[in-house]
């Protein structure tokens, strides 16, 4: 995944509210608002939707990708999409820390992928720390699930509806609950 110059300025450090990079982040966000409005408020053909989404994320979106509006993002430029992805309605991609979605991933309605966090200290709480999220091939994120910063969801893994994922999910695991825990592994011969 190629990252914007913003990502390289903010990775692996606390970004405080007085840092100059905040102005750059806000400028990109404002530019993206027009595209988000188009995605969510206009009746677009699938091709028009993919074209507008590609403009928002800064890379072409494969024709096999299906995203149902509304789609929400706080930044847009740090999203990488593979092929044959399905993203259902109302998904929130807080992508300042980067979100990579591999081929054949399914994301249920109202799921949240959050790459941004804030310090615990009240005096620094307006600051940001970011960590990437990676959804590996054929992962399935259930409706209303929340994936927190720094999490990788493994190949063929399932995150149950409304789970809150705070740590990496191994390949072929099914996780559920808050915080999410492994409830079992998938036998590849299952229907």
């Amino acid at each position: 995944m190629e990252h914007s110059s913003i990502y390289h300025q903010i990775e692996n450090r606390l970004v405080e509210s007085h840092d100059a990079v905040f102005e750059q982040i806000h400028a990109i966000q404002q530019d993206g608002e027009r595209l988000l409005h188009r995605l969510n408020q206009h009746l677009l053909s699938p091709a028009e939707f993919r074209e507008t989404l590609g403009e928002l994320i800064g890379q072409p979106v494969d024709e096999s990708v299906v995203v149902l509006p509304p789609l929400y993002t706080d930044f847009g430029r740090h999203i990488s999409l593979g092929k044959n992805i399905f993203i259902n309605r109302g998904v929130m991609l807080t992508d300042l820390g980067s979100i990579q979605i591999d081929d054949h991933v399914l994301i249920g309605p109202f799921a949240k992928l959050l790459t941004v966090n804030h310090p615990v200290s009240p005096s620094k709480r307006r600051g940001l720390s970011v960590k990437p999220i990676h959804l590996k091939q054929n992962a399935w994120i259930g409706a209303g699930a929340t994936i927190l910063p720094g999490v990788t969801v493994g190949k063929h893994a399932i995150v149950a509806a409304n789970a809150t994922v705070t740590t990496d999910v191994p390949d072929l695991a099914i996780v559920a609950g808050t915080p999410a825990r492994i409830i079992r592994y998938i036998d590849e011969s299952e229907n």
Side-chain angles (χ1 to χ4, degrees):
M1 168 189 228
E2 284 199 31
H3 297 292
S4 72
S5 60
I6 297 283
Y7 184 79
H8 296 297
Q9 293 178 56
I10 63 175
E11 68 179 326
N12 300 318
R13 75 174 184 96
L14 175 64
V15 181
E16 298 198 54
S17 58
H18 60 272
D19 286 348
V21 73
F22 260 94
E23 288 181 33
Q24 295 172 342
I25 291 168
H26 290 295
I28 291 170
Q29 287 173 323
Q30 283 183 321
D31 189 47
E33 290 297 323
R34 173 186 57 83
L35 298 168
L36 277 174
H37 181 80
R38 179 172 163 76
L39 287 174
N40 294 327
Q41 302 299 322
H42 296 131
L43 186 58
L44 302 174
S45 71
E48 291 169 325
F49 191 94
R50 283 190 305 274
E51 182 179 325
T52 303
L53 180 57
E55 190 177 344
L56 176 67
I57 69 174
Q59 63 179 341
V61 176
D62 190 81
E63 67 181 26
S64 64
V65 172
V66 175
V67 179
L68 301 180
L71 175 71
Y72 303 105
T73 180
D74 70 328
F75 192 67
R77 288 291 174 171
H78 295 163
I79 298 169
S80 175
L81 299 174
K83 297 179 181 180
N84 296 304
I85 293 168
F86 178 77
I87 300 176
N88 213 320
R89 297 191 190 282
V91 169
M92 178 64 190
L93 303 174
T94 304
D95 67 290
L96 190 58
S98 88
I99 296 172
Q100 180 176 337
I101 302 174
D102 291 352
D103 297 347
H104 305 288
V105 168
L106 301 173
I107 303 178
F110 304 106
K112 296 167 289 300
L113 281 65
L114 311 173
T115 67
V116 176
N117 205 350
H118 300 277
V120 173
S121 169
S123 65
K124 295 185 184 260
R125 197 161 295 156
R126 290 272 182 197
L128 303 173
S129 63
V130 299
K131 293 183 182 173
I133 289 174
H134 184 184
L135 304 182
K136 291 190 174 181
Q137 183 178 358
N138 207 36
W140 175 13
I141 310 302
T146 300
I147 312 295
L148 293 180
V151 168
T152 295
V153 177
K155 287 183 180 180
H156 313 294
I158 298 172
V159 174
N162 292 318
T164 301
V165 184
T166 60
T167 61
D168 290 350
V169 177
D171 294 352
L172 296 167
I174 300 175
V175 299
T178 299
R181 290 176 170 53
I182 297 170
I183 57 173
R184 74 179 180 97
Y185 283 87
I186 299 164
D187 177 346
E188 290 193 69
S189 65
E190 286 185 70
N191 292 339

